[in-house]
Amino acid sequence: MSEKANEGYRRWQCIVCGFVYDEAAGLPEEGIAPGTRWEDIPDDWACPDCGVAKADFEMVEIAAER
Amino acid sequence: MAREPIVILGTGLAGYNTARELRRLEAGKRLALTLVTRDDGRFYSKPDLSVALARGKAPDEIPLADAGEMAAQLDATILTHAPVARIDRAARKVVLEDGRGLAYGRVVLALGAEPVRPPLAGDAAGEVLSVNDLDGYRRFRERLDGHERVAILGAGLIGCEFANDLAATGHRVTVADPAPWPLARFLPEAAGRRLERELAALGVTWRFGVTAERVDRVDGALALRLSDGSTIAADVALSAVGLRPRTALAAEAGLATGRGILVDRLLRTSDPAIHALGDCAEVLPEGAPGEPGREGLVLPFVMPLVQGARALARTLAGEPTPVRYPAMPVAVKTPAHPVVVAPPAPGAEGAWEVAEDEGGVRALFRAPDGRLLGFALTGAHVKERPALARELPPLLP
């Protein structure tokens, strides 16, 4: 992936359980390819950790985990 | 549709999620709603407390909204710093400690669970903290400020998550537990041992097969005396030995309780005007609360309460909806070596098949006929969760 394509990828955090969706990484194990934008994830998708709806996520900036 | 208010006791994830789900429903939008909390009513994700240090978050940066914002968002009245004294079922009133009475149509008990306090002797036993909410977490962080050595009692979910977060941010952590390996209630030995090694590599010191007996203040530090006679020296001590559903308010109101507040699949207590969900509830797969000999599910995790809130909102809005539990793997927030576990049902017949490689452990619990009944995945293998979870039977169909 080029630097350019990497620009502007966001991370979204489940407001209920704290699960983070990283657009750059996607969720390949759930069939969501790396680079998939939040808008392109189906509305009936649910948080893998706690099962809340997509509507219960919000965009957040999170420092890298060590 | 009844116009009487719904009164939700508790503004943790269970209380706020129920309110949120209710407001998503057409019929739920019209109901009068009051939430009551003994704290300040800020909305936050409790699992976030376990990863806040590594994410560089101060306690006050964790909440996503304050009580005023939540009240506006939910079109609800939120009473903060308002501990409840009792429920007067005959008068259909929740009575607050300050004497106010709240008339209700229905009550939702979203009271959570109380940390179990281990019996400890010693002059500093009272300095052992437990973290069960944002206020407790703030006290922990204040005490931690500038200190390095942390002793954790309990190698369960919270103990392991805090150990990871603290060790990853330069603290010296010692964890003591009577079990032989971490998360011993959930994980087969190989998976537990792997987590033990990976967190040890991060700097965590483990003390298994011991309980703490006394805590004293010696030369300005805490000395935790263990059952084998040895001592842990620490600046801060945290107890994470378990949770007990809060049942007292319900029991005093004459509702049926077991380990938790007993509810049926509609999350109704033995009084059909009073519901309960989340960490305080014990959900009966069949039968009704109050019937002798019934035992249910006490699942103090986020996914069960999300399922509960969704079903209960529909029931409150006039469409009785039994709670359904799919298979609900629990993710342990140990970023140094993540773990996902779907424990087999208690007493399930079968055996663990364990495989381990450099990435982690993959343990599958299979019935004699080969059906998958549970799994434990660590490290790189957590990626297999979605595929394996689809194979698991639902907990409550």
mmCIF file of all heavy atoms in Angstrom, chain B residues 67-88:
data_model
loop_
_atom_site.group_PDB
_atom_site.id
_atom_site.type_symbol
_atom_site.label_atom_id
_atom_site.label_comp_id
_atom_site.label_asym_id
_atom_site.label_seq_id
_atom_site.Cartn_x
_atom_site.Cartn_y
_atom_site.Cartn_z
ATOM 1 N N ALA B 67 -23.861 13.402 32.300
ATOM 2 C CA ALA B 67 -25.272 13.070 32.532
ATOM 3 C C ALA B 67 -26.210 14.008 31.765
ATOM 4 O O ALA B 67 -27.250 13.585 31.256
ATOM 5 C CB ALA B 67 -25.576 13.111 34.027
ATOM 6 N N GLY B 68 -25.817 15.279 31.656
ATOM 7 C CA GLY B 68 -26.657 16.238 30.934
ATOM 8 C C GLY B 68 -26.765 15.885 29.458
ATOM 9 O O GLY B 68 -27.861 15.908 28.872
ATOM 10 N N GLU B 69 -25.627 15.531 28.873
ATOM 11 C CA GLU B 69 -25.630 15.140 27.461
ATOM 12 C C GLU B 69 -26.427 13.861 27.260
ATOM 13 O O GLU B 69 -27.166 13.714 26.271
ATOM 14 C CB GLU B 69 -24.192 14.941 26.978
ATOM 15 C CG GLU B 69 -23.404 16.247 26.881
ATOM 16 C CD GLU B 69 -21.892 16.035 26.803
ATOM 17 O OE1 GLU B 69 -21.390 14.991 27.279
ATOM 18 O OE2 GLU B 69 -21.225 16.933 26.290
ATOM 19 N N MET B 70 -26.302 12.925 28.192
ATOM 20 C CA MET B 70 -27.047 11.670 28.072
ATOM 21 C C MET B 70 -28.546 11.918 28.204
ATOM 22 O O MET B 70 -29.356 11.318 27.496
ATOM 23 C CB MET B 70 -26.582 10.664 29.128
ATOM 24 C CG MET B 70 -25.164 10.141 28.933
ATOM 25 S SD MET B 70 -24.841 9.443 27.298
ATOM 26 C CE MET B 70 -25.781 7.912 27.364
ATOM 27 N N ALA B 71 -28.926 12.815 29.117
ATOM 28 C CA ALA B 71 -30.344 13.124 29.312
ATOM 29 C C ALA B 71 -30.941 13.702 28.026
ATOM 30 O O ALA B 71 -32.055 13.342 27.619
ATOM 31 C CB ALA B 71 -30.512 14.090 30.474
ATOM 32 N N ALA B 72 -30.170 14.586 27.364
ATOM 33 C CA ALA B 72 -30.653 15.189 26.122
ATOM 34 C C ALA B 72 -30.736 14.129 25.020
ATOM 35 O O ALA B 72 -31.742 14.024 24.309
ATOM 36 C CB ALA B 72 -29.713 16.319 25.709
ATOM 37 N N GLN B 73 -29.677 13.329 24.920
ATOM 38 C CA GLN B 73 -29.614 12.315 23.873
ATOM 39 C C GLN B 73 -30.739 11.277 24.015
ATOM 40 O O GLN B 73 -31.291 10.812 23.030
ATOM 41 C CB GLN B 73 -28.252 11.633 24.013
ATOM 42 C CG GLN B 73 -27.763 10.871 22.817
ATOM 43 C CD GLN B 73 -26.452 10.165 23.168
ATOM 44 O OE1 GLN B 73 -26.417 8.961 23.362
ATOM 45 N NE2 GLN B 73 -25.368 10.930 23.267
ATOM 46 N N LEU B 74 -31.056 10.939 25.255
ATOM 47 C CA LEU B 74 -32.031 9.872 25.512
ATOM 48 C C LEU B 74 -33.433 10.416 25.801
ATOM 49 O O LEU B 74 -34.352 9.635 26.017
ATOM 50 C CB LEU B 74 -31.576 9.019 26.708
ATOM 51 C CG LEU B 74 -30.279 8.238 26.519
ATOM 52 C CD1 LEU B 74 -29.793 7.672 27.841
ATOM 53 C CD2 LEU B 74 -30.504 7.112 25.502
ATOM 54 N N ASP B 75 -33.582 11.729 25.798
ATOM 55 C CA ASP B 75 -34.850 12.343 26.168
ATOM 56 C C ASP B 75 -35.346 11.726 27.486
ATOM 57 O O ASP B 75 -36.456 11.227 27.582
ATOM 58 C CB ASP B 75 -35.881 12.138 25.040
ATOM 59 C CG ASP B 75 -37.195 12.841 25.351
ATOM 60 O OD1 ASP B 75 -37.177 13.790 26.155
ATOM 61 O OD2 ASP B 75 -38.233 12.409 24.810
ATOM 62 N N ALA B 76 -34.486 11.761 28.475
ATOM 63 C CA ALA B 76 -34.783 11.119 29.765
ATOM 64 C C ALA B 76 -34.425 12.068 30.903
ATOM 65 O O ALA B 76 -33.655 13.000 30.726
ATOM 66 C CB ALA B 76 -33.974 9.833 29.905
ATOM 67 N N THR B 77 -35.014 11.814 32.055
ATOM 68 C CA THR B 77 -34.592 12.489 33.280
ATOM 69 C C THR B 77 -33.516 11.624 33.918
ATOM 70 O O THR B 77 -33.706 10.422 34.058
ATOM 71 C CB THR B 77 -35.782 12.605 34.256
ATOM 72 O OG1 THR B 77 -36.822 13.332 33.588
ATOM 73 C CG2 THR B 77 -35.384 13.330 35.525
ATOM 74 N N ILE B 78 -32.388 12.220 34.268
ATOM 75 C CA ILE B 78 -31.338 11.440 34.929
ATOM 76 C C ILE B 78 -31.062 12.061 36.295
ATOM 77 O O ILE B 78 -30.686 13.225 36.388
ATOM 78 C CB ILE B 78 -30.050 11.395 34.079
ATOM 79 C CG1 ILE B 78 -30.358 10.754 32.712
ATOM 80 C CG2 ILE B 78 -28.964 10.601 34.808
ATOM 81 C CD1 ILE B 78 -29.171 10.674 31.770
ATOM 82 N N LEU B 79 -31.302 11.287 37.322
ATOM 83 C CA LEU B 79 -31.043 11.743 38.692
ATOM 84 C C LEU B 79 -29.676 11.227 39.116
ATOM 85 O O LEU B 79 -29.478 10.017 39.225
ATOM 86 C CB LEU B 79 -32.124 11.220 39.642
ATOM 87 C CG LEU B 79 -33.568 11.584 39.272
ATOM 88 C CD1 LEU B 79 -34.537 10.974 40.278
ATOM 89 C CD2 LEU B 79 -33.738 13.102 39.224
ATOM 90 N N THR B 80 -28.728 12.153 39.330
ATOM 91 C CA THR B 80 -27.377 11.744 39.711
ATOM 92 C C THR B 80 -27.185 11.881 41.225
ATOM 93 O O THR B 80 -27.945 12.580 41.892
ATOM 94 C CB THR B 80 -26.326 12.602 38.989
ATOM 95 O OG1 THR B 80 -26.557 13.963 39.317
ATOM 96 C CG2 THR B 80 -26.416 12.424 37.484
ATOM 97 N N HIS B 81 -26.157 11.240 41.730
ATOM 98 C CA HIS B 81 -25.857 11.242 43.173
ATOM 99 C C HIS B 81 -27.114 10.950 43.978
ATOM 100 O O HIS B 81 -27.406 11.614 44.966
ATOM 101 C CB HIS B 81 -25.229 12.572 43.590
ATOM 102 C CG HIS B 81 -24.019 12.917 42.773
ATOM 103 N ND1 HIS B 81 -22.855 12.181 42.843
ATOM 104 C CD2 HIS B 81 -23.801 13.868 41.839
ATOM 105 C CE1 HIS B 81 -21.966 12.686 41.983
ATOM 106 N NE2 HIS B 81 -22.516 13.696 41.373
ATOM 107 N N ALA B 82 -27.876 9.977 43.514
ATOM 108 C CA ALA B 82 -29.180 9.684 44.105
ATOM 109 C C ALA B 82 -29.279 8.203 44.472
ATOM 110 O O ALA B 82 -29.951 7.420 43.788
ATOM 111 C CB ALA B 82 -30.293 10.066 43.120
ATOM 112 N N PRO B 83 -28.605 7.803 45.558
ATOM 113 C CA PRO B 83 -28.687 6.389 45.950
ATOM 114 C C PRO B 83 -30.116 5.992 46.323
ATOM 115 O O PRO B 83 -30.862 6.801 46.874
ATOM 116 C CB PRO B 83 -27.742 6.288 47.155
ATOM 117 C CG PRO B 83 -27.382 7.669 47.545
ATOM 118 C CD PRO B 83 -27.708 8.589 46.424
ATOM 119 N N VAL B 84 -30.436 4.740 45.984
ATOM 120 C CA VAL B 84 -31.792 4.239 46.227
ATOM 121 C C VAL B 84 -31.836 3.563 47.596
ATOM 122 O O VAL B 84 -30.958 2.760 47.925
ATOM 123 C CB VAL B 84 -32.198 3.239 45.135
ATOM 124 C CG1 VAL B 84 -33.525 2.562 45.471
ATOM 125 C CG2 VAL B 84 -32.295 3.947 43.787
ATOM 126 N N ALA B 85 -32.863 3.875 48.385
ATOM 127 C CA ALA B 85 -33.017 3.247 49.695
ATOM 128 C C ALA B 85 -33.782 1.937 49.567
ATOM 129 O O ALA B 85 -33.399 0.920 50.128
ATOM 130 C CB ALA B 85 -33.741 4.184 50.657
ATOM 131 N N ARG B 86 -34.910 1.970 48.837
ATOM 132 C CA ARG B 86 -35.714 0.749 48.726
ATOM 133 C C ARG B 86 -36.741 0.888 47.613
ATOM 134 O O ARG B 86 -36.949 1.979 47.078
ATOM 135 C CB ARG B 86 -36.419 0.453 50.057
ATOM 136 C CG ARG B 86 -37.396 1.507 50.482
ATOM 137 C CD ARG B 86 -37.798 1.367 51.948
ATOM 138 N NE ARG B 86 -38.511 2.563 52.383
ATOM 139 C CZ ARG B 86 -39.815 2.746 52.205
ATOM 140 N NH1 ARG B 86 -40.549 1.835 51.632
ATOM 141 N NH2 ARG B 86 -40.379 3.880 52.599
ATOM 142 N N ILE B 87 -37.330 -0.239 47.278
ATOM 143 C CA ILE B 87 -38.429 -0.246 46.313
ATOM 144 C C ILE B 87 -39.695 -0.610 47.070
ATOM 145 O O ILE B 87 -39.756 -1.662 47.708
ATOM 146 C CB ILE B 87 -38.178 -1.271 45.188
ATOM 147 C CG1 ILE B 87 -36.857 -0.950 44.465
ATOM 148 C CG2 ILE B 87 -39.336 -1.273 44.193
ATOM 149 C CD1 ILE B 87 -36.430 -2.024 43.486
ATOM 150 N N ASP B 88 -40.671 0.299 47.044
ATOM 151 C CA ASP B 88 -41.958 0.049 47.695
ATOM 152 C C ASP B 88 -42.908 -0.488 46.629
ATOM 153 O O ASP B 88 -43.517 0.262 45.881
ATOM 154 C CB ASP B 88 -42.480 1.365 48.290
ATOM 155 C CG ASP B 88 -43.772 1.173 49.075
ATOM 156 O OD1 ASP B 88 -44.463 0.133 48.861
ATOM 157 O OD2 ASP B 88 -44.094 2.046 49.896
#
